[in-house]
Amino acid sequence: MPRFLADLPRRFFLVVMLAGSALITVTSLAYFDFETLPPFVIEKLPVRFESLWLASLRVHVAAASLVFPLCLLLMTRGIQRRPAWHRWIGRLTGFFVLFALVPSGIVLAFDAKGGKVVSAGFLLSAAIVAGCMVHGIWAARRRDFVSHRRAMRHVVGQMSVAVTSRALMLALDAGGVDPDVAYVVALWGPVLFSAAIAELVSLRSVFATPDPIRSVERIYRENSLLAVLVRARSFVRPVARLGR
Amino acid sequence: MDWTQRRVEDGLVKPLAQSEDSRFSRMRPPPRERRVRVLQSTLSRDKNGRAFVGFAIDVRFGSEWRRDDIVGCVYRESGDIFVKKGDAYRPAAFLLGKNVEPVAGVCQAAAARS
């Protein structure tokens, strides 16, 4: 298959997500008009800690408007071919994700409409983003780019929930589904689906490797918790050599 | 009580419908339909002696109606509308995006004097 066609799903994903991110940013500008209350805030109030909740909402929206497009940029081949750019944009993105997006998202999760089921969904998504971001940064520093790519696919996957969840809510509303049910489905569906897709894409890229020894090594590195501490190569290569 | 119904429809239901659109947002989608129910056939008076009537607005998203989506009261003389949010009543302009504080004592009938 020509490389352009093979790359088409990835490009389509990046373009759709970039458009979705821009649309969310535009509709979120109302959160920074301090004179009026946007509909989402009216719907939520009153909350237990109103000032903290409102500040977290604004930090979350601002951080997401910045880091989601940056994550998409980091996924492009153009930036990946420029390691210095990739490193610095990655550091900036990682900083805002870990110190603005995730903490503010956790605060918002506890007051999410839909109760504990929805809170759990948002907290799971936050845990995946934070955990994979830390793991991905660590992997990049060890120059383990296979693990780095896998971790960052999960980060981008969970960020894409912002777009897919809203699109699904619109679709379910058009289908006449009760908005409370739609809200739960439109959160948990994309969270789990994105995690599954990130794993599948990572596995596919492992099996696409022509060298079987390297494939096994990659699987070890990607799936074993021990791989964080011990490089899989030191296990796989000696065993492979025994058979010669 | 036709007056109450008309006042709530003109002062709240229609402006709400005009301000709502299906956005790419996590907010609840606008309902397909709203209906006003007047909750009492006689006027109540608050502690300041002002007469008001309670109302509720039901909404429909699919085929079923959801009762009491908005609860509030309308004052007979001024035509002011208040809506309940949490435990407090705020001017209806709150639902249209104005950052207005709760008003103490409104929509609460004073205890009958012996």
Side-chain angles (χ1 to χ4, degrees):
Chain A
M1 189 189 296
R3 188 180 169 86
F4 176 79
L5 285 180
D7 238 15
L8 212 53
R10 202 179 64 87
R11 289 179 182 185
F12 177 74
F13 170 80
L14 291 177
V15 170
V16 170
M17 288 302 136
L18 196 61
S21 170
L23 195 54
I24 293 171
T25 301
V26 169
T27 55
S28 300
L29 290 177
Y31 296 128
F32 299 96
D33 176 359
F34 292 81
E35 299 298 313
T36 61
L37 293 171
F40 181 72
V41 176
I42 294 169
E43 194 184 330
K44 284 296 306 171
L45 291 181
V47 290
R48 276 172 292 180
F49 305 104
E50 195 172 312
S51 302
L52 174 68
W53 185 84
L54 266 173
S56 298
L57 179 66
R58 288 177 179 130
V59 168
H60 193 72
V61 166
S65 303
L66 177 72
V67 298
F68 191 27
L70 285 180
C71 276
L72 296 173
L73 184 68
L74 286 163
M75 298 287 280
T76 59
R77 299 268 187 259
I79 287 295
Q80 285 170 354
R81 281 194 209 103
R82 294 169 176 81
W85 280 82
H86 189 84
R87 263 197 305 277
W88 279 105
I89 296 172
R91 284 170 185 157
L92 184 74
T93 307
F95 176 82
F96 280 111
V97 166
L98 290 175
F99 296 104
L101 186 76
V102 170
S104 58
I106 289 171
V107 172
L108 296 174
F110 286 107
D111 274 309
K113 63 177 181 178
K116 287 178 183 168
V117 177
V118 175
S119 292
F122 280 120
L123 289 173
L124 173 65
S125 185
I128 294 172
V129 170
C132 288
M133 181 57 86
V134 170
H135 181 69
I137 292 168
W138 197 3
R141 294 182 70 82
R142 290 194 329 262
R143 308 190 72 74
D144 178 358
F145 298 119
V146 175
S147 294
H148 175 72
R149 274 197 292 272
R150 180 190 177 210
M152 292 313 172
R153 276 185 199 117
H154 276 286
V155 172
V156 173
Q158 290 307 312
M159 287 190 186
S160 75
V161 169
V163 176
T164 50
S165 171
R166 285 165 171 81
L168 192 52
M169 278 174 68
L170 285 178
L172 292 172
D173 178 48
V177 177
D178 180 271
D180 293 341
V181 175
Y183 197 75
V184 177
V185 172
L187 174 67
W188 273 98
V191 166
L192 298 178
F193 184 74
S194 300
I197 290 291
E199 276 303 293
L200 280 175
V201 171
S202 298
L203 277 178
R204 200 192 64 172
S205 70
V206 166
F207 285 111
T209 309
D211 180 351
I213 299 291
R214 283 197 64 196
S215 287
V216 175
E217 181 186 313
R218 276 183 165 191
I219 291 168
Y220 261 84
R221 251 191 286 168
E222 293 201 356
N223 292 329
S224 169
L225 289 174
L226 282 175
V228 175
L229 298 172
V230 185
R231 292 201 61 156
R233 185 180 296 153
S234 61
F235 281 92
V236 176
R237 285 260 159 88
V239 173
R241 282 184 193 124
L242 287 177
R244 287 178 188 170
Chain B
M1 293 296 120
D2 279 352
W3 177 86
T4 307
Q5 180 128 7
R6 271 202 314 275
R7 175 71 194 115
V8 175
E9 277 172 3
D10 292 342
L12 185 55
V13 174
K14 283 178 187 167
L16 264 181
Q18 284 164 0
S19 70
E20 287 172 334
D21 50 359
S22 281
R23 293 183 189 189
F24 203 57
S25 155
R26 286 199 191 280
M27 72 180 202
R28 190 181 75 172
R32 301 268 190 281
E33 198 178 347
R34 285 190 173 94
R35 70 179 179 202
V36 179
R37 280 185 297 115
V38 180
L39 299 179
Q40 52 197 95
S41 53
T42 56
L43 294 171
S44 296
R45 290 189 183 273
D46 66 15
K47 63 182 178 185
N48 294 321
R50 294 183 302 164
F52 68 88
V53 179
F55 69 86
I57 298 175
D58 304 335
V59 291
R60 185 178 66 78
F61 291 94
S63 56
E64 289 183 14
W65 284 94
R66 187 182 292 190
R67 289 170 69 90
D68 298 342
D69 186 57
I70 300 171
V71 174
C73 80
V74 56
Y75 275 82
R76 186 69 181 92
E77 285 164 22
S78 61
D80 291 343
I81 304 171
F82 294 89
V83 291
K84 193 173 186 185
K85 261 284 175 185
D87 294 329
Y89 286 89
R90 300 176 191 243
F94 176 79
L95 294 182
L96 300 170
K98 285 201 175 162
N99 197 355
V100 285
E101 294 297 316
V103 181
V106 296
C107 301
Q108 288 164 339
R113 289 176 199 164
S114 57

